[in-house]
Amino acid sequence: MKKITCLIVLLFTLNSCGTDYFYSSFTIRRELLWFTSLADQETLDTHAQMVGYTPTLNRFSSPSIIATPANYLVAIYENRNISGSDLDIYGINGNKKVEVTARISKNSSNFDNTVTVGNIKNLNPSSAHGSPVSFLTKEGDIVVLSTAGVGFAKDGVATEKTKIAVSISTDNGYNWTDWKDLDETVFESLKAYNRFYTTPGNGKTLRNGTLVCMIDYKTNYEEKARGAAILYSADNGKTWKIGGTLTYNGNTHRFAKIIAERTDGKLLIAAVSYTGTNDIATYNNTGSIAWYLADDLNSPINTFNVTGPEIIDANLVVVKVFERNSGGVISGDRIKYAYKGRAYDGILLAHSYPERKFQHQSGQQTVSNVTAISISGDDGKTWTMITNVVGKDESTNQAAFRHSGLAVFKDGSIGLAYEEGIGPSINDRQGFIPYYRRFGLSAISDGKYRYEGL
């Protein structure tokens, strides 16, 4: 009798993980068990292209990565059906054809199934959605917020407000609810403004299950973001509220993002410098990261002093890395780790590094604003840079830091969804494409740091 009961429980468990997991062969089941041991994470460093690239037809942007409880990896990104000459960093303005796409991986190596989030597939500007923020609920559902309508457009109809919409998947990203616009009453506390924009990437699920992210805001006649606000849901994405706000002093920053929930429950927030309206300016210019701290969801958001990381360059000049960050989005997640025999409850951060030289087959080249990883063991007060080389294959040498989403998986491996430059050389990028990289903390730190638990 006990054997029959156990069999029924096992079958029910497998069935709840998705139909192809239940009905598939044992090979497929093994693919879903892609977790890696800590010993193997000492050398773990894999690289996968999320989507194909057609420079004259599509531009892809704003990727994030979600690992569901059933071990499906779901990559979510913005798909712009526009010419490659459009370099505007904001995809949604009421005039562009933009949609949100999800691709699914069962083995953490390649992405096969392609699904349109929100079920709008005609890419009509009037029904466009983009700049996705993805969340994983404690129940295992995937929630995606997006910008819609006029987005961050300047001018236009003065009374028209930007729409923020939500779509939810309960089956590992295979099916999604239709986009549902958040009610205008959600933005009542921001009634002086009519333009909003979701900061793309991975949103945060707090320890109590609340989903939380940031949105930028401004008026229709302003070009730059005026400030940012906390947007959160306490019921798994069904309803949303505006929380605390911050002002970008002098309109100097944008894309505020919640990096992590600290051990004391406060929210660590960072924003990147306003470096220009298009991709070229964004990656040729740099500026300082602005740091903030919110005591809770609805409290005032105050500035926060951060130290480091600092490096000495080839000319023996001290470089403060966070003061020379690109205008792309940074991202982070919590991680427990060991360093020099001591355990830390830390925060991992993906950001840009000013530049590095490397030996290419055509000669030595310099790449600006490359992807770097730093770590903090004191809730974000001080930071140490671990590496400015995320991966070692040749294609990574062309990476420039743009929008990204970072997540620490259940096995302690680290997933990073980011955009990589495509082109014949570092300084001749013909576009960007979403990539997914998975690596071990020990691997990228040459064994100095070691994962200890979430």
Side-chain angles (χ1 to χ4, degrees), residues 11-268:
L11 291 174
F12 177 79
T13 302
L14 291 175
N15 191 38
S16 66
C17 294
T19 54
D20 71 342
Y21 188 78
F22 178 65
Y23 291 111
S24 62
S25 67
F26 283 98
T27 301
I28 297 297
R29 294 179 191 176
R30 283 199 296 269
E31 286 179 351
L32 284 163
L33 300 177
W34 45 261
F35 283 359
T36 304
S37 69
L38 290 180
D40 289 338
Q41 286 181 35
E42 294 179 2
T43 57
L44 176 66
D45 192 351
T46 61
H47 186 266
Q49 187 171 312
M50 289 183 178
V51 63
Y53 177 70
T54 309
T56 59
L57 294 177
N58 297 91
R59 288 179 63 84
F60 305 100
S61 183
S62 309
S64 58
I65 190 74
I66 294 288
T68 71
N71 296 345
Y72 291 81
L73 280 173
V74 184
I76 298 165
Y77 55 90
E78 178 184 288
N79 178 7
R80 305 184 190 181
N81 190 11
I82 56 179
S83 70
S85 62
D86 188 327
L87 298 176
D88 195 338
I89 197 168
Y90 297 108
I92 299 296
N93 64 1
N95 296 313
K96 297 176 184 177
K97 299 178 179 180
V98 185
E99 67 180 3
V100 177
T101 301
R103 298 206 77 200
I104 302 168
S105 173
K106 295 185 286 291
N107 57 14
S108 187
S109 298
N110 62 281
F111 295 83
D112 41 30
N113 295 82
T114 303
V115 184
T116 300
V117 177
N119 302 317
I120 295 178
K121 303 178 181 180
N122 59 2
L123 288 172
N124 188 301
S126 63
S127 58
H129 291 77
S131 193
V133 185
S134 61
F135 307 84
L136 180 69
T137 71
K138 292 216 168 189
E139 287 70 24
D141 298 336
I142 306 173
V143 177
V144 173
L145 280 180
S146 78
T147 300
V150 294
F152 238 37
K154 187 178 178 181
D155 300 321
V157 181
T159 58
E160 189 174 356
K161 289 187 177 182
T162 302
K163 297 177 182 178
I164 303 293
V166 61
S167 179
I168 300 173
S169 173
T170 60
D171 62 355
N172 302 298
Y174 284 94
N175 292 280
W176 296 84
T177 62
D178 293 343
W179 287 117
K180 180 181 179 182
D181 295 338
L182 274 57
D183 194 280
E184 282 195 13
T185 58
V186 172
F187 307 97
E188 182 64 23
S189 62
L190 297 174
K191 59 185 177 182
Y193 305 94
N194 58 5
R195 296 290 186 267
F196 309 107
Y197 215 83
T198 44
T199 300
N202 283 67
K204 295 301 170 190
T205 302
L206 305 186
R207 288 187 285 270
N208 65 4
T210 299
L211 310 181
V212 59
C213 67
M214 302 294 294
I215 60 170
D216 276 359
Y217 62 82
K218 68 168 191 170
T219 60
N220 61 296
Y221 54 82
E222 295 175 300
E223 181 164 325
K224 301 179 181 180
R226 178 74 67 88
I230 292 173
L231 181 62
Y232 68 94
S233 172
D235 56 8
N236 294 327
K238 296 181 181 67
T239 61
W240 296 82
K241 296 180 180 179
I242 290 290
T245 63
L246 64 87
T247 300
Y248 297 135
N249 293 328
N251 304 107
T252 56
H253 286 77
R254 65 181 173 197
F255 292 142
K257 195 168 189 178
I258 296 173
I259 301 303
E261 180 184 16
R262 303 195 335 164
T263 55
D264 58 6
K266 297 181 180 181
L267 302 180
L268 180 65

Side-chain angles (χ1 to χ4, degrees), residues 289 291 306-314 317-326 330-331 337 339-340 347-357 367-378 380-390 401 406 414 439 441-449:
I289 298 174
W291 293 90
V306 165
T307 302
E310 295 182 348
I311 56 98
I312 299 177
D313 67 10
V317 175
V318 176
V319 175
K320 296 183 177 180
V321 176
F322 287 166
E323 291 185 1
R324 293 180 57 189
N325 199 78
S326 80
I330 58 180
S331 56
Y337 67 94
Y339 176 65
K340 292 185 175 180
I347 302 173
L348 207 61
L349 185 77
H351 58 95
S352 78
Y353 178 80
E355 65 178 31
R356 64 175 167 84
K357 299 182 184 297
V367 58
S368 301
N369 298 323
V370 297
T371 305
I373 302 291
S374 289
I375 199 165
S376 172
D378 56 7
K381 298 175 185 177
T382 58
W383 295 87
T384 301
M385 192 175 73
I386 297 177
T387 182
N388 67 349
V389 183
V390 179
F401 194 78
L406 183 144
I414 302 157
F439 45 85
L441 180 61
S442 180
I444 63 170
S445 66
D446 294 326
K448 295 179 182 178
Y449 296 83

